[in-house]
Amino acid sequence: MNSGIEQSNVSKLERPLDGSLYVPELYDWQYVHNPTVTAFLYYNGESDLQTITYKELVPAVHQAARFVADTIGINIFGDRESYPVVAILSAA
């Protein structure tokens, strides 16, 4: 994680907006094309602004997805139409 916002000089490619990518694929696209761009900003509790880049975020999202898929017993490489709806709520 990076402290502060340091991407003002970063050249960023725009993602496709034609509906050709599902939400997970949009994150993967950003990971490949804009890895150093900030995905999320948050305060760390000490008044410091923290950033998470796509390079940091996407591998963690994939790991969490594999954990959830293994826990509920679905094949992540299977037909998306058969996937159950999964919601994860967090207070932080």
Side-chain angles (χ1 to χ4, degrees):
M1 287 179 274
N2 301 319
S3 181
I5 303 174
E6 302 168 1
Q7 69 181 39
S8 59
N9 295 328
V10 172
S11 178
K12 180 173 123 173
L13 293 173
E14 291 299 322
R15 67 193 180 281
L17 298 175
D18 60 1
S20 62
L21 300 177
Y22 289 97
V23 172
E25 292 166 333
L26 288 171
Y27 282 103
D28 291 340
W29 189 94
Q30 292 286 16
Y31 178 80
V32 170
H33 298 285
N34 297 311
T36 60
V37 171
T38 298
F40 293 107
L41 294 170
Y42 68 95
Y43 285 101
N44 68 1
E46 299 173 6
S47 300
D48 292 333
L49 187 62
Q50 299 290 308
T51 64
I52 298 176
T53 65
Y54 285 101
K55 184 177 181 179
E56 298 165 315
L57 173 69
V58 172
V61 168
H62 281 255
Q63 183 178 7
R66 284 189 299 274
F67 174 78
V68 170
D70 289 347
T71 300
I72 63 175
I74 64 168
N75 176 4
I76 60 172
F77 301 108
D79 179 22
R80 288 186 178 165
E81 299 297 321
S82 65
Y83 288 0
V85 174
V86 176
I88 299 174
L89 303 176
S90 172

